[in-house]
Amino acid sequence: MNVFVKKGVPADIKSEAIILTLFEDSKKMTGDALKIDKLSGGLISELIASRDFEAKPSQVAVIYTRGSLPSKRIVLTGLGKQSEFNLENLRAAFASALRHLRDMNIREAAASINLNLIPGKKDQVVQAAVEGSLLGLYQYTPYKTVGREDLKDMDELNIVTDAKDFSLVESAVKKARIIADAVYFARDLISAPANEMTPSMMAQKAREIAGRKNVSCKVLDKNKMKEMGMNALLGVASGSNEEPKFIILEYSGGKKNMAPIVLVGKGLTFDSGGISIKPAEKMDEMKTDMSGGAAVMGAIMAAADLQLPLNITALIPATENLPGGSALKPGDILKSYSGKTIEVLNTDAEGRLILSDALAYASEYKPQAVVDVATLTGACVIALGDDVIGMLGTDDKLKKEIDSAAKNTGELVWELPLWEKYHEQIKSDIADYKNTGGRPAGTITAAAFLSKFVGDVPWVHLDIAGPAWTAKDKAYIPKGASGITVRLLVEFLRNRVEK
Ligand code: BES
Ligand code: MN
Ligand code: ZN
């Protein structure tokens, strides 16, 4: 869907539908809603009086204007109670309005966004409305060949604003567009089946990102990794016929001497568990085990498009985890890129293996911060549920930054402790570490393992095993790949600039 900004008054705009937001508990209509209500001879107040529409969160109603104004329909979307209002409600309200219109087979709409919904945050209000609209309309359809002509999609949304706010609105729309494109990019990669989205294909997608200004891409192949001693990553790859790839994307928007921020994303294009094979049920969902990799690729893409004055590196170790004839076996010992040795007790704890090499490599950049994103542990889903990102790390300031970025983007982050005590669980009898610490505190011991390879840099680990894939439609996350942490990382990066 294209999003345009139009100078004008919503009551005068000609469209298939003019979208208005309303609060559940506001006594009187104001602004555009009031104007349109008067013009239409009280169509909105009649609907409200009938209680057919109560402006509950994301509730949608469609009114036909019957020639009383240039737009054919008024679409009301609920924001809930004014006292409970936040940007998340706005994202959801716009997502439901647009989805409702799409389902009615309407292809074009206009919207009035009340810029003063949150005082002093006009640009964030516009950004949230447009992001919600775009993200909620996401569909993954390349493999649908039967009945393709019946697929519905919106073509155009026009944000109507007065001349005074035009440039502010336009720049907020541009930002929202860049960020939503990055989320779409990640969702497309994650949704693609593992027979398409191989490590080589991820590398290909990374090269496409590198078409941008100040972005370069380097892909290390198997031979190069052998030469460098990335044996933990190679160990995981050894059961598969697909070549592993170590993908390096570098964006240099900052000064030459500025230390980079390194984003590391798990790129397991399919996780069968390996010799410690997973049960068949829902194993298909393990095509999403590269969600962290897709997220950091989306984030660096958006950072480049936003031209942030930062240096950013994204590292994506990409491989399959399959039980082939030369696969890793429980008990095998690997000498990782860092030089430390790892006893593999469970081949299904492969994410931490490939990340150990990537994190050790990350520290060579002498980065100002390292953030890794991974669908790392089922234990995180047990601890925090399907919607929440687990956060662990060594640097309080960095954790605070991630936390406040997440609050702005509506992504839910909860910290788990990384106390010294937990490190005992990953000590190996015959190697330096073992790759599982057993079931108790599985998310924490996984992070404790990662911490051994990070070196002395501020580091945060985000476990997205829960929210990477959504089983049910959410407000602006249609069921399937969520693209979680793309927006969070972009917000974190943008905030780093302002300092
Ligand atoms: N990719 C999985 C974690 C996962 C599980 C992500 C469910 C999304 C949904 C990871 O590689 C894994 O298999 N972890 C094991 C670790 C265990 C063997 C120590 C797990 O969580 O069971
Ligand atoms: Mn696994
Ligand atoms: Zn995995």
Side-chain angles (χ1 to χ4, degrees), residues 271 278 348 350:
D271 180 12
K278 289 179 181 295
D348 198 10
E350 84 299 334

Side-chain angles (χ1 to χ4, degrees), residues 409-424:
T409 61
E411 288 156 289
L412 301 172
V413 166
W414 195 256
E415 189 184 355
L416 297 170
L418 195 51
W419 293 318
E420 200 48 45
K421 190 94 191 87
Y422 294 108
H423 292 245
E424 284 163 27

Side-chain angles (χ1 to χ4, degrees), residues 111-134:
S112 143
I113 305 174
N114 177 356
L115 300 184
N116 300 314
L117 278 171
I118 302 179
K121 292 193 177 175
K122 287 183 177 180
D123 54 338
Q124 290 191 46
V125 164
V126 176
Q127 193 191 322
V130 175
E131 266 180 33
S133 303
L134 289 167

Side-chain angles (χ1 to χ4, degrees), residues 380 383-384 387-392 399 402-403 406-407 411-417 443 461-463 488:
C380 199
L384 300 174
D387 298 334
V388 181
I389 301 165
M391 172 171 74
L392 302 101
K399 282 189 278 195
I402 295 290
D403 192 58
K407 287 208 167 78
E411 288 156 289
L412 301 172
V413 166
W414 195 256
E415 189 184 355
L416 297 170
T443 304
H461 159 64
L462 300 173
D463 193 330
L488 185 163

